[in-house]
Amino acid sequence: MTLISRFKAYAQLLRPANIVTAIADIWAGFTVSGAAVLLFLPQVQEPSYWSILAWLTLSTIGLYGGGVAFNDIFDAKLDAVERPERPIPSGRASKLGAVFMASLFLIGGILAAFQVGKLSGYIAMAVAACALLYDAWGKHQSIFGPINMGLCRTGNLLLGISAIPTQVPELWPLGLIPLAYVSGITMVSRGEVHGKNKGALYGGLGLYGGIIVTLVIISFGKGKAGIQALPFIGLLAYMVFPPLIKAIQKQEPKLIGKSVKAAVISLIILNASLAAGFGGWLYGLVILLLLPISLRLAKIFAVT
C-alpha cells in the first residue's frame, strides 16, 4: 500500500466533509455570542478574537475528527461483517494506529479549547465525553441515542458561544435547536432500511417545522436581525421539507435516505440561519460558503 493510500484511509476515518459541518457550529456560536462583530474592531484584548476563532475552529476539528474515528474503532468487529470495505476491517488502517490518531485529535481539541479559557476547555471535555459515550454505548440506545448525538452538536455550538464566556449562561437555550434537529434526523433515519415508518417521519416533520418557527421568532426577537435571516431560513425549509414530504408519501427506503442526507447537509444552512439571525446576512453567507466545501469533500471521502 502506498503512503498516499494509507493517508487517505486514515483521513476517511476522520470524515472531512462532516468536520466542515462542525466548523459551521463553531462559527455560528461565535457570531451569536457577538464575538464576530469584534473581529473588525480595534484590538481590545489579548489574545485577539481572530486568535480565539482559530483556536475554537481547531478544537472542533480535533473533537469531531477524534469522535468519528473512535466510532469506527468501536464498530470494527461489526464493520468486518457488514462493511468490510471500511478502513479498519479492510486493513488499510490499523486499529492501533486509529486509536492513536483519534486520541491525538481528541486531546488536541481539548487543549486547543483551553487556549481560549477554562470554560471553553470544560465544554470541549464535555463534547469529547459525549462523543465517546455515543460511540461506545449511546448509538445502540433507541431513546437516548438521538439525544446523545444531539448533545454533541449542542456542546459544539456552546463551544463557539464560549468565545465570550459571559454569554454562555444567557444563550445556552440555543443549544436546544441543534439537539432537536439532530433528533429529527435520527427519527427519520429509522425508516431508511425498511421504510414503512410513517410515525417517525411525521415526528421528524414536526421537529423540523418547530425549528423553522423557532428560528424566525429568535431572528425577530433576541437576534434582532429579523428579515436578514429569512432567506437562510427559507433555504433550510426548501432543503429539508420537499424530500421528507415525498418520503412520507411513498414510504420508500431510498427516498427516506435522500431525506436524511438532505437534512445532514443542511446542518450548515441551520448554522447560517442562526448566524444571520444574530449578526446579519453577511455572517450567514460566510458560513453558507462552507457548504460547497463540504459537498466537494464528500465526493472524495465517505461521509458515513
Side-chain angles (χ1 to χ4, degrees), residues 163-199:
I164 299 182
T166 55
Q167 292 288 70
V168 174
E170 180 181 354
L171 297 174
W172 72 263
L174 291 177
L176 297 176
I177 294 176
L179 175 60
Y181 187 81
V182 171
S183 296
I185 293 175
T186 306
M187 288 184 68
V188 172
S189 69
R190 286 177 178 170
E192 193 171 354
V193 177
H194 304 293
K196 307 300 180 183
N197 196 358
K198 212 165 193 176

Side-chain angles (χ1 to χ4, degrees), residues 82 106 139 214 222 252 260 275 283:
E82 297 183 352
L106 279 183
K139 63 186 172 187
T214 301
K222 184 69 176 176
E252 296 176 4
V260 171
Y283 294 97

Side-chain angles (χ1 to χ4, degrees), residues 16-303:
N18 299 26
I19 287 179
V20 177
T21 69
I23 293 174
D25 294 338
I26 294 296
W27 289 8
F30 192 82
T31 302
V32 164
S33 73
V37 176
L38 300 177
L39 289 173
F40 305 100
L41 295 179
Q43 184 69 37
V44 293
Q45 72 169 55
E46 184 60 42
S48 70
Y49 282 101
W50 285 105
S51 176
I52 289 173
L53 180 59
W55 280 120
L56 292 177
T57 301
L58 285 173
S59 176
T60 199
I61 290 172
L63 294 171
Y64 196 96
V68 295
F70 266 116
N71 186 63
D72 271 44
I73 292 165
F74 282 109
D75 279 354
K77 289 184 179 180
L78 181 62
D79 284 344
V81 177
E82 297 183 352
R83 305 168 72 189
E85 75 282 358
R86 291 294 299 165
I88 295 176
S90 68
R92 291 182 292 120
S94 73
K95 191 171 184 179
L96 182 60
V99 169
F100 178 76
M101 180 189 71
S103 300
L104 198 62
F105 266 70
L106 279 183
I107 294 171
I110 292 171
L111 291 178
F114 270 109
Q115 301 308 305
V116 175
K118 289 183 178 180
L119 180 59
S120 298
Y122 294 148
I123 292 175
M125 290 174 65
V127 172
C130 283
L132 290 173
L133 179 64
Y134 179 80
D135 293 340
W137 178 76
K139 63 186 172 187
H140 304 296
Q141 310 304 311
S142 59
I143 296 177
F144 181 70
I147 296 174
N148 191 172
M149 184 185 296
L151 285 174
C152 294
R153 287 285 179 176
T154 294
N156 216 28
L157 181 67
L158 295 180
L159 185 59
I161 294 175
S162 73
I164 299 182
T166 55
Q167 292 288 70
V168 174
E170 180 181 354
L171 297 174
W172 72 263
L174 291 177
L176 297 176
I177 294 176
L179 175 60
Y181 187 81
V182 171
S183 296
I185 293 175
T186 306
M187 288 184 68
V188 172
S189 69
R190 286 177 178 170
E192 193 171 354
V193 177
H194 304 293
K196 307 300 180 183
N197 196 358
K198 212 165 193 176
L201 295 178
Y202 274 116
L205 182 67
L207 283 173
Y208 292 162
I211 289 167
I212 295 295
V213 172
T214 301
L215 287 171
V216 172
I217 293 173
I218 289 174
S219 297
F220 281 89
K222 184 69 176 176
K224 299 181 181 179
I227 198 168
Q228 296 187 54
L230 291 183
F232 298 91
I233 298 172
L235 178 60
L236 176 63
Y238 174 78
M239 287 291 291
V240 299
F241 285 132
L244 179 54
I245 291 172
K246 189 177 291 187
I248 291 173
Q249 292 172 339
K250 302 276 183 146
Q251 294 285 292
E252 296 176 4
K254 184 178 179 180
L255 292 176
I256 294 173
K258 287 183 177 180
S259 175
V260 171
K261 290 178 181 177
V264 171
I265 291 172
S266 298
L267 275 163
I268 292 176
I269 305 175
L270 173 66
N271 282 306
S273 300
L274 264 176
F278 279 79
W281 68 270
L282 184 58
Y283 294 97
L285 182 60
V286 169
I287 293 177
L288 194 61
L289 291 176
L290 292 172
L291 184 58
I293 298 174
S294 180
L295 292 174
R296 177 60 180 168
L297 286 171
K299 293 181 179 180
I300 303 173
F301 300 98
V303 298

